[in-house]
């Protein structure tokens, strides 16, 4: 049974041709039983053939077959060709045009033609000895099949359009979901890249400075060399711990509890960061103004990374005699950061257009972090020399 149904769906024109031949056979029996001859018989046979053609090609060219059916109907009225079984094709074409997703004029023409067919037939071929009321009732009864055919076809068209809209919406939502997933993946990768940049740039630069210092004083001051090596070890372990946490995000299929994770840095660890930088040989003045209080985790991480990146840039570009100052200011509605150094500063290209220097993304990362929490950032050379980074991070509720 399923094979037969699939065959019917694959060959709609063949199925319509079969029913057209069946209709032609019944109509031929009806025509052969009439007493018409000559031109009248030829006209009636022609009308039957054309109406059967309407059934055979109704799905391939519905609008043209509708016009053909209308023309045959008008010819029947004009040439006094009596009603025969082939007129059933008019019901079929009305249903087909109403169900077809084509021009609306065709559907309206089918409805108007179907509703007027019974009235015109009663006027052209009135029943003898029938009163006006009876003619009206007969007209209404004969109009019902045409109206039902149009309503059924139009309902089917509406249902198809509804399901097509649902499929389109599902497809669009699926594409939007994929696009959002790609955006989320890109954002996560960018976040991890920023974190890795901050971890590597800061800790490795500290390790390089300490290693150079240890090599310089290895023979003359072994205690200082030992302290530098201890700093390198501590910094390296901290960098490995943070990198392990970040790379753990990229793992798939692993048990999240199996890895080693550390908490995100916060404002309280800025003092430890400053002390670490001091041990690396950079003079840093650190002050906190206002009353410290708990902050949103995003604000705390952003503040820590800004200070970390700023001090890293000072060691990179400030020169051997550079000093820095770090200020944290707690306002009622925000946290202020000011990091300055008195070194020679970086080249203009390093802070122009967001800090794209072709070697790193420090200032770009700062601006992105500050933008994520709705804050503002100002970075550039100081009028008296050196470099200044100023940020204002608003204290907004999480989310």
């Amino acid at each position: 049974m399923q094979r037969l149904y699939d065959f019917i769906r694959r060959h709609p024109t063949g199925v319509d041709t079969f029913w057209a031949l069946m209709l032609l056979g019944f109509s031929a029996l009806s025509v052969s039983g009439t007493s018409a001859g000559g031109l009248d018989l030829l006209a009636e046979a022609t009308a039957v053939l054309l109406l059967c053609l309407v059934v055979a090609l109704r799905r391939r060219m519905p609008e043209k077959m509708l016009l053909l059916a209308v023309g045959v109907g008008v010819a029947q009225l004009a040439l006094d060709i009596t009603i025969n079984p082939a007129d059933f094709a008019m019901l079929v074409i009305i249903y087909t045009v109403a169900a077809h997703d084509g021009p609306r004029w065709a559907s309206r023409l089918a409805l108007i033609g179907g509703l007027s067919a019974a009235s015109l037939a009663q006027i052209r071929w009135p029943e003898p000895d029938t009163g006006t009321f009876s003619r009206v009732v007969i007209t209404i009864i004969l109009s019902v099949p045409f109206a039902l055919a149009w309503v059924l076809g139009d309902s089917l068209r509406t249902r198809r359009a509804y399901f097509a809209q649902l499929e389109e919406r599902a497809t669009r939502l699926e594409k939007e979901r994929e696009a959002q997933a790609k955006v989320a993946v890109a954002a996560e990768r960018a976040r991890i890249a920023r974190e890795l940049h901050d971890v590597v740039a800061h800790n490795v630069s500290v390790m390089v400075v300490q290693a150079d210092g240890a090599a310089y004083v290895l023979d003359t001051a072994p205690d200082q060399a030992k302290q530098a090596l201890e700093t390198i070890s501590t910094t390296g372990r901290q960098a490995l711990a943070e990198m392990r946490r970040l790379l753990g995000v990229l793992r798939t299929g692993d048990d999240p509890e199996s890895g080693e994770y550390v908490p995100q840095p916060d404002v309280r660890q800025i003092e430890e960061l400053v002390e670490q930088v001091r041990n690396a040989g950079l003079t840093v003045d650190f002050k906190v103004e206002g009353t410290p209080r708990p902050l949103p985790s995003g604000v705390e991480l952003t503040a820590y990374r800004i200070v970390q990146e700023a001090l890293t840039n000072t060691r990179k570009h400030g020169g051997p005699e550079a000093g820095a100052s770090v200020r944290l200011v707690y306002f009622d509605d925000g946290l202020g950061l000011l990091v300055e150094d008195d070194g020679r500063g970086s080249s203009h290209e390093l802070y122009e257009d967001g800090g794209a220097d072709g070697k790193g993304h420090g200032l770009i990362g700062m601006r992105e972090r500050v933008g994520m929490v709705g804050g503002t950032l100002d970075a550039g050379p100081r009028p008296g020399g050196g470099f200044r980074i100023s940020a204002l991070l608003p204290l907004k509720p999480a989310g």
Side-chain angles (χ1 to χ4, degrees):
M1 193 65 183
Q2 184 63 32
R3 292 182 179 179
L4 177 61
Y5 180 71
D6 293 338
F7 177 81
I8 292 174
R9 292 189 61 184
R10 290 195 305 268
H11 305 85
T13 304
V15 175
D16 292 339
T17 302
F18 170 77
W19 290 116
L21 293 175
M22 295 290 293
L23 184 61
L24 179 61
F26 286 113
S27 301
L29 293 176
S30 176
V31 171
S32 63
T34 61
S35 58
L39 295 178
D40 293 338
L41 180 60
L42 178 61
E44 190 169 357
T46 303
V48 169
L49 290 175
L50 293 177
L51 289 175
C52 292
L53 181 64
V54 168
V55 175
L57 302 178
R58 66 184 184 92
R59 279 189 273 198
R60 295 191 62 178
M61 46 186 73
E63 289 81 15
K64 294 181 180 179
M65 292 301 102
L66 174 64
L67 296 176
L68 179 59
V70 171
V72 173
V74 173
Q76 283 185 274
L77 294 174
L79 301 177
D80 194 18
I81 301 174
T82 57
I83 298 174
N84 58 73
D87 290 322
F88 181 76
M90 296 184 180
L91 282 173
V92 176
I93 193 61
I94 288 175
Y95 163 80
T96 302
V97 171
H100 180 65
D101 189 16
R104 298 306 298 165
W105 65 263
S107 179
R108 296 189 184 97
L109 177 60
L111 178 60
I112 294 173
L115 295 178
S116 60
S119 302
L120 295 175
Q122 285 296 311
I123 295 174
R124 187 66 176 84
W125 301 290
E127 294 289 337
D129 301 330
T130 302
T132 304
F133 178 76
S134 299
R135 290 183 180 181
V136 172
V137 173
I138 293 174
T139 301
I140 294 175
I141 293 175
L142 294 178
S143 299
V144 169
F146 293 96
L148 289 178
W150 186 89
V151 170
L152 182 61
D154 189 71
S155 299
L156 182 61
R157 180 192 61 79
T158 303
R159 186 176 180 181
R160 287 175 180 170
Y162 174 72
F163 282 119
Q165 184 179 10
L166 288 181
E167 292 180 356
E168 181 184 359
R169 183 181 302 175
T171 303
R172 185 173 65 252
L173 290 176
E174 183 66 23
K175 291 181 179 180
E176 291 178 357
R177 190 180 300 111
E178 293 178 358
Q180 291 174 357
K182 291 180 180 179
V183 170
V185 170
E188 183 65 14
R189 288 178 177 175
R191 185 189 69 81
I192 294 174
R194 289 194 299 267
E195 294 287 334
L196 285 175
H197 171 272
D198 294 339
V199 171
V200 174
H202 171 73
N203 291 290
V204 172
S205 63
V206 171
M207 294 167 65
V208 170
V209 170
Q210 291 293 327
D212 291 341
Y216 182 75
V217 300
L218 181 62
D219 297 329
T220 58
D223 293 339
Q224 294 184 13
K226 181 180 179 181
Q227 183 180 1
L229 293 176
E230 291 177 352
T231 303
I232 291 175
S233 176
T234 302
T235 304
R237 293 178 185 276
Q238 179 183 356
L240 286 176
E242 291 198 38
M243 291 178 66
R244 186 179 295 113
R245 173 182 60 80
L246 293 173
L247 295 177
V249 178
L250 301 177
R251 296 174 181 170
T252 57
D254 295 341
D255 183 5
E257 296 181 358
S258 62
E260 296 182 24
Y261 298 93
V262 296
Q264 292 276 23
D266 54 24
V267 173
R268 292 186 298 273
Q269 294 180 346
I270 293 180
E271 187 172 359
E272 299 177 6
L273 174 66
V274 170
E275 188 64 29
Q276 184 184 38
V277 174
R278 287 171 178 168
N279 293 334
L282 179 65
T283 303
V284 182
D285 180 26
F286 177 63
K287 289 185 179 179
V288 178
E289 301 179 7
T291 304
R293 58 185 180 278
L295 304 173
S297 59
V299 172
E300 296 213 5
L301 177 61
T302 300
Y304 181 90
R305 293 305 188 196
I306 289 176
V307 175
Q308 184 183 53
E309 178 65 26
L311 295 179
T312 299
N313 289 339
T314 298
R315 287 198 308 271
K316 285 183 179 180
H317 311 292
E321 302 298 330
S325 65
V326 178
R327 297 288 185 274
L328 296 183
V329 183
Y330 287 87
F331 299 106
D332 293 337
D333 58 350
L335 175 67
L337 289 174
L338 179 62
V339 183
E340 296 179 305
D341 66 66
D342 55 4
R344 61 172 179 259
S346 60
S347 62
H348 182 72
E349 290 77 8
L350 286 176
Y351 58 85
E352 187 180 34
D353 298 330
D357 57 1
K359 298 180 180 179
H361 300 81
L363 292 179
I364 292 179
M366 286 189 196
R367 296 187 188 279
E368 290 180 352
R369 290 183 182 278
V370 172
M372 289 171 61
V373 297
T376 58
L377 177 73
D378 182 24
R382 297 173 58 197
F387 204 80
R388 170 190 291 144
I389 295 177
S390 175
L392 179 61
L393 309 177
L395 303 183
K396 297 189 296 184

